[in-house]
Amino acid sequence: MKQGFANFGNITKQLCKGFGATLSIFFLTMIISLPLGLLVTFGRMTKITPIRWITKIYISIMRGTPLMLQLLVVFFGPYYLFGIKLASTVPHYRFIAVIIGFSLNYAAYFAEIYRSGIESIPAGQREAAKLLGYTRGQTFAKIILPQMIKRVMPPVTNEIITLVKDTSLAFVLSYMEMFTMAQQIAATLTNVMPIFVAGVFYYIFNYLVAFVMELIEKKLNYYQ
């Protein structure tokens, strides 16, 4: 019994180190992909045809291919396309490639969520703002954006929760995040306990994320 608790404690201690890497992937992806998604939305909705089609193709590729494949393309692409060996010359390139791959992927999903939120707002509000003398920028910042944020919170929350679980895909680039570490510990101990402990970590983190997002959504109720 004591040995079982000791093993559980050791496993938890080791997974905490991997959890730090998982948190880094999660927060950096959020910081980059959320505003990047808004830029992609502008490109998707612009009247400039080339930009609109480029962003549309980008979104189609990001949503239509596996994230795992996209991570591999980001990591190996510079070598196969230009003969540049970034993995051996750039410090922490695996981590950088993970963040780039995740950010590009999630920005595409956020862009479509934002677009649906913007298009759900009645056109009459834009026309009224124009009559009141608002510029397009003022109309978006003061009228469209606050309503859009409130309307897209549920789907954005779903994507953020998915991101927590998707961080485990970093294993494809041999980056040591929590789930990769759990697999290695399980293989060493020939015991599945590390996998289940990692599952508990993911569940608790997802619960906290959902709780925080729910609080934010309640704070935004005054936009209704």
Side-chain angles (χ1 to χ4, degrees), residues 34-53:
L34 284 170
L36 180 59
L38 191 58
L39 290 177
V40 176
T41 301
F42 293 151
R44 179 72 174 81
M45 301 180 70
T46 185
K47 294 180 180 179
I48 304 173
T49 303
I51 295 177
R52 187 172 68 252
W53 276 101

Side-chain angles (χ1 to χ4, degrees), residues 146-163:
Q147 295 182 77
M148 182 271 285
I149 292 174
K150 175 63 178 70
R151 296 185 184 202
V152 304
M153 282 301 293
V156 165
T157 299
N158 286 338
E159 287 300 319
I160 292 174
I161 289 173
T162 301
L163 171 60

Side-chain angles (χ1 to χ4, degrees), residues 112-121 147-148 151-152:
E112 286 298 275
I113 292 172
Y114 296 157
R115 184 173 68 88
S116 67
I118 292 171
E119 291 181 345
S120 70
I121 297 170
Q147 295 182 77
M148 182 271 285
R151 296 185 184 202
V152 304

Side-chain angles (χ1 to χ4, degrees), residues 1-114:
M1 189 74 172
K2 290 182 179 180
Q3 186 177 0
F5 280 114
N7 287 338
F8 179 80
N10 290 332
I11 291 169
T12 302
K13 188 176 180 179
Q14 293 179 65
L15 289 181
C16 282
K17 297 178 182 178
F19 188 60
T22 296
L23 288 176
S24 298
I25 296 171
F26 174 78
F27 284 113
L28 285 174
T29 300
M30 289 279 294
I31 291 169
I32 297 171
S33 63
L34 284 170
L36 180 59
L38 191 58
L39 290 177
V40 176
T41 301
F42 293 151
R44 179 72 174 81
M45 301 180 70
T46 185
K47 294 180 180 179
I48 304 173
T49 303
I51 295 177
R52 187 172 68 252
W53 276 101
I54 289 172
T55 53
K56 190 174 181 179
I57 292 170
Y58 159 72
I59 291 171
S60 177
I61 292 173
M62 291 295 107
R63 298 201 304 169
T65 57
L67 175 55
M68 187 181 296
L69 174 61
Q70 294 165 22
L71 291 171
L72 292 171
V73 169
V74 171
F75 186 78
F76 293 106
Y79 175 73
Y80 285 106
L81 292 175
F82 309 108
I84 303 174
K85 297 182 179 180
L86 293 177
S88 58
T89 58
V90 178
H92 310 295
Y93 180 64
R94 292 185 189 276
F95 178 68
I96 294 171
V98 167
I99 299 303
I100 292 173
F102 272 89
S103 298
L104 291 176
N105 178 273
Y106 273 85
Y109 284 93
F110 288 137
E112 286 298 275
I113 292 172
Y114 296 157

